[in-house]
Amino acid sequence: MKIAAHIGVKDEIELIEPCIAHLRRIGVTSFIVCEMQSTDGTAEWVAAQRSETFRVLQSSNAEPGMDWLRRNEAAARTCGADWLVFADADEFILPEGGSLAEAL
């Protein structure tokens, strides 16, 4: 089972790395990070993580909602996941048995 996470971030440099590490520990294998013009180093950190399993979408609050939705939907569809978790960098999902796949 492939689990992806969609994470919205803005100025979350202190949280993004622990968040990603935690999600990996519980079974998330693919990431879509929607970066909202951070100014604290978050944008640079997520850009350095780019890979086939770590997508970064640059966005802003000025982007029309439907445009944002279409770009995020396209990214979600191409990640090939069975499940997609939506979270923020300050949310740490705690599945009862420690594995998100087992919880699903």
Side-chain angles (χ1 to χ4, degrees), residues 5 21-22 26 28 30 37 41 46 48 56 87 90:
H22 172 74
I26 65 171
V28 174
S30 183
Q37 299 182 321
V46 297
V56 179
D90 62 358

Side-chain angles (χ1 to χ4, degrees), residues 69-90:
L69 181 62
R70 285 185 191 103
R71 287 190 324 114
N72 282 269
E73 180 183 17
R77 289 185 186 279
T78 61
C79 73
D82 300 303
W83 289 89
L84 181 60
V85 175
F86 288 85
D88 195 76
D90 62 358

